[in-house]
């Protein structure tokens, strides 16, 4: 079993619903972090959460 590099850590990814932010959030979650992503669009955040495997939370910022 592989040790998770970020197990027990919390990561806040601003702009985590698309692009580099989404890729970073997915990688951090894969490595065991609890991930909090922010974005301006609720639907995009929900889609991103569905794509990310692991412990992910969301926060919404105002546009």
């Amino acid at each position: 079993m592989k040790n998770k590099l970020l197990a027990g850590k919390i990561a806040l990814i601003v702009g985590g619903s698309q692009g580099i932010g989404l890729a970073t959030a997915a990688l951090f979650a894969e490595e065991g972090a609890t991930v909090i992503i922010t974005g301006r669009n609720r639907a995009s955040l929900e889609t991103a959460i569905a794509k990310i495997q692991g412990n992910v939370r969301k926060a919404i910022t105002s546009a």
Side-chain angles (χ1 to χ4, degrees):
M1 185 167 130
K2 178 183 168 191
N3 288 337
K4 299 286 184 168
L5 185 62
L6 300 175
K9 305 293 183 182
I10 299 171
L12 172 62
I13 310 293
V14 178
S17 62
Q18 61 185 0
I20 293 171
L22 177 57
T24 302
L27 178 61
F28 282 18
E30 182 180 316
E31 286 297 329
T34 296
V35 178
I36 302 166
I37 61 174
T38 68
R40 293 180 288 181
N41 182 291
R42 183 179 302 272
S44 294
L45 284 171
E46 296 297 336
T47 300
I49 289 169
K51 289 180 182 179
I52 299 170
Q53 301 298 312
N55 192 6
V56 63
R57 305 285 185 253
K58 67 178 177 190
I60 297 177
T61 60
S62 60

